[in-house]
Every structure is written in C-alpha cells, then in structure tokens.
Amino acid sequence: MSRFVVDTNVPIVANGDSGPDNTGSPSVNCRIAAVKFLQELLSSGKLLVDLAGDIQDEYRRHLRPSGQPGVGDRFYQALLNSAPERVERIDLPKRDDGEYVDLPQALIDAGFDRSDRKFAALARRENAPVVNATDSDWLNHRETLFETGIRVRFICGCDTSTWFER
C-alpha cells in the first residue's frame, strides 16, 4: 500500500477553490489530477498525518468536515472518520525552538515556508512523498528538498503556467 503526505493545497484544488494564497481558480486539468489522486488514495493508499494534529488543524481551516460539496471535503471527512487502514498517525517531535526534529536545517536556512514544514518533516521521517498540486514553494525549493531526501510528487506538473485558469 502506497503511503503519502498530502499538502492542503491538493484537496483545496480538488474542491476547485483558489486556496489560501488566492492565486486563482485551478485549471480543469489540475483539478482533475487532484480529484483522481485523492480518490486513489482513499481507495487503495494510506494518508500520513502527524500525531499532534498540526496537519489536521490546517485541513480544518480550509476544508469542510461535512464532506460536502467537493472531493477535497470528502477526503477531509474520511480523515476525520480515521479509517485505520487509510490513515496513519505518526509522532513528529519538535525541538525546543518549535522546529520539527526531522526538518533538515538546509530547508530552514533556505526560508522554506513555515506552514509547509510539517509536511516536509513528516515526509522525511517516513520516507514517503509529499503530494503537491499548486504550491510553488515546493517547486522553488525542489533542489534542496531532493538533496535532503524529501521527494515531492507534483500531480499538476512543474509548469506553473498550467496550474490556474487564465
């Protein structure tokens, strides 16, 4: 069974929403890719989240627990129902300064987005890929992520001009 860390932008894009950065509506192709990925994850994969709930807190701020109206909301509802065969909660310890123990210093030094650090740290700890749809931080720091052993799956590709409607 494949295991993934899923950045919040993936279910947001699956819902067809613009996301926290208000970057615009996702393109149809990107939205389809996000929907397909989440459906596959819910049917045959495993979602990794941190035991302390930092990732779930971020999902809560951007998704609807009722599971409606979008596929991203349904994904969040499945997480809340926490089917043990689909969700694995992992201890993700923090240092005294609040940074995650498993987050490479090189990413901190490079100014990697604070809100994405929990996903990167969990991916590194579990040697599982982070799934990204339209967050350019993952693309901008791709080299440092790769050098520190963090794999990113870009379900909408790496050409940002195709990520949003024009």
Side-chain angles (χ1 to χ4, degrees):
M1 181 178 290
S2 298
R3 302 163 70 226
F4 297 97
V5 176
V6 179
D7 187 306
T8 312
N9 73 75
V10 175
I12 289 172
V13 166
N15 283 343
D17 295 335
S18 61
D21 297 334
N22 251 347
T23 46
S25 297
S27 68
V28 171
N29 288 340
C30 191
R31 187 171 180 197
I32 290 170
V35 167
K36 282 184 174 179
F37 171 77
L38 292 178
Q39 288 176 331
E40 288 174 16
L41 176 63
L42 290 174
S43 68
S44 62
K46 186 169 269 196
L47 172 68
L48 302 178
V49 295
D50 63 299
L51 191 59
D54 291 347
I55 291 173
Q56 191 167 330
D57 286 347
E58 185 169 309
Y59 290 165
R60 181 179 308 117
R61 286 192 300 275
H62 299 285
L63 303 169
R64 297 166 198 89
S66 66
Q68 299 288 327
V71 173
D73 298 320
R74 195 175 91 212
F75 160 80
Y76 178 53
Q77 184 184 45
L79 168 65
L80 291 176
N81 291 335
S82 194
E85 71 277 5
R86 296 286 173 242
V87 180
E88 187 174 342
R89 298 179 191 279
I90 308 293
D91 185 35
L92 194 58
K94 292 182 180 178
R95 304 184 317 208
D96 290 341
D97 65 0
E99 293 291 354
Y100 296 96
V101 169
D102 294 287
L103 186 69
Q105 187 63 42
L107 279 175
I108 297 169
D109 295 344
F112 189 65
D113 185 11
R114 284 194 169 278
S115 67
D116 291 332
R117 292 179 181 180
K118 57 189 163 293
F119 301 110
L122 183 57
R124 186 167 189 239
R125 183 174 189 88
E126 292 299 310
N127 193 28
V130 175
V131 180
N132 175 58
T134 59
D135 184 340
S136 60
D137 292 318
W138 296 101
L139 191 59
N140 295 339
H141 294 277
R142 183 171 45 180
E143 191 171 308
T144 305
L145 290 159
F146 179 78
E147 290 170 355
T148 56
I150 299 169
R151 296 173 289 141
V152 181
R153 181 172 168 184
F154 294 93
I155 61 171
C156 293
C158 294
D159 180 356
T160 59
S161 71
T162 65
W163 289 359
F164 301 99
E165 294 294 329
R166 300 207 173 250

